[in-house]
Amino acid sequence: MKCGFVTIVGRPSAGKSTLLNKLCGEKVAITSSVPQTTRNAIKGIVNREQGQLVFIDTPGRHVSEKKINKKLMEVSSLALEECDLVLYVLDATRSPGIEEEEIASLLIPLAEKTIAAVNKMDVSAADFNSAKDFISLKIPAVKERCFAVSANTGQGIDALVCELFNKAPEGDAHYGDEYYTDQDTGFRIAEIIREQAINRLRQELPHSLYVDIADMELTGTNLWVRAFIIVERESQKGMVVGKGGEMIKTIRLSALKELKKIFDWKIDLDLRVKTGKDWRSRDHILKKLIN
Ligand SMILES: Nc1nc2c(ncn2[C@@H]2O[C@H](COP(=O)(O)OP(=O)(O)OP(=O)(O)O)[C@@H](O)[C@H]2O)c(=O)[nH]1
Ligand SMILES: [Mg+2]
């Protein structure tokens, strides 16, 4: 049977995580319109008659001197070193810029194992040919393996999966077919809370927060969770709590709604906000959060 590790790379907001979820048929990774949503290498497993593909979603590559960006870049670079295949996701609605150039040069030595997915083809302004021209110019060997897809509608996904299986090596499955991800429960809950917070907060707040699961207790079918949304500065706390506590209440309820779709437990969520001063520049926090 075929079995391979496929690392998904691309610029922030290209739709990598949305594509991963479509490929797996499950919500494996959180998504948002805010760039740099994904902060970890997230595995999603696809089992088909031909075999097993283990996808590794990565943070969108954005060159910057900021500590957190460097750490995020490391995650995708490492995932590229270890994989059998690379799935390079491009956004058909945006013209390639400096970020795209950086990724294309990174992929030159990996060209033989790279497949490109030009995403967001459901948008009327999508331009497949420009993306393909860019690939032809920068990584010519990938020109023959450019797929027009939409992670939203599922357009082109079957042909893409077929090509990935074609190119995957022979081998035994790494995971039992009951698994679609390897993430632990605490991480998934933290991510869903973060997604709901990101989707409701503005300006720098989505980038300034992380979620810490302080405690979890399973009693029968009831799961009790205490989580903290951690912001960088004292002044940001108020924005997350909102007027009369409205914002944190909305985040909590929408997170519970999403969690209900994923888990069978009855979840009781105690959600609070606290400050972790300048956490984005603290090595030990970044080491714990980003991997
Ligand atoms: N119209 C359309 N929108 C899409 C498609 N795929 C993703 N999006 C949207 O693009 C935005 C970014 O999607 P993500 O999946 O979070 O992007 P990402 O590449 O994982 O981003 P990072 O994790 O920040 O690197 C979201 O608003 C998605 O809904 C698509 O096929 N069509
Ligand atoms: Mg993502």
Side-chain angles (χ1 to χ4, degrees), residues 13-18 32 36-38 60 119-120 122-123 150-152:
S13 281
K16 300 176 293 300
S17 303
T18 309
S32 88
Q36 298 202 293
T37 297
T38 305
N119 189 34
K120 307 196 186 179
D122 58 294
V123 180
S150 164
N152 267 12

Side-chain angles (χ1 to χ4, degrees), residues 70-103:
K70 287 184 172 174
K71 192 85 188 145
L72 293 169
M73 293 278 265
E74 268 174 42
V75 175
S76 68
S77 299
L78 189 68
L80 282 172
E81 277 175 28
E82 293 169 348
C83 64
D84 298 304
L85 297 171
V86 177
L87 177 55
Y88 174 23
V89 181
L90 295 94
D91 183 338
T93 68
R94 293 176 67 193
S95 48
I98 186 166
E99 283 171 350
E100 212 69 80
E101 301 267 347
E102 188 270 341
I103 300 164

Side-chain angles (χ1 to χ4, degrees), residues 216-255:
M216 271 199 311
E217 204 174 296
L218 185 63
T219 317
T221 55
N222 295 318
L223 180 68
W224 173 81
V225 181
R226 171 168 292 153
F228 287 93
I229 294 178
I230 299 179
V231 290
E232 282 188 306
R233 294 190 302 277
E234 204 55 30
S235 60
Q236 295 171 327
K237 265 169 67 177
M239 288 185 265
V240 179
V241 172
K243 218 174 179 181
E246 273 304 312
M247 180 56 86
I248 185 89
K249 190 175 157 194
T250 307
I251 295 169
R252 179 179 168 275
L253 289 176
S254 55

Side-chain angles (χ1 to χ4, degrees), residues 272-286:
R272 304 170 187 211
V273 187
K274 70 178 181 189
T275 308
K277 200 171 175 323
D278 297 330
W279 67 264
R280 273 192 289 179
S281 37
R282 291 179 192 268
D283 289 324
H284 70 285
I285 307 260
L286 295 180

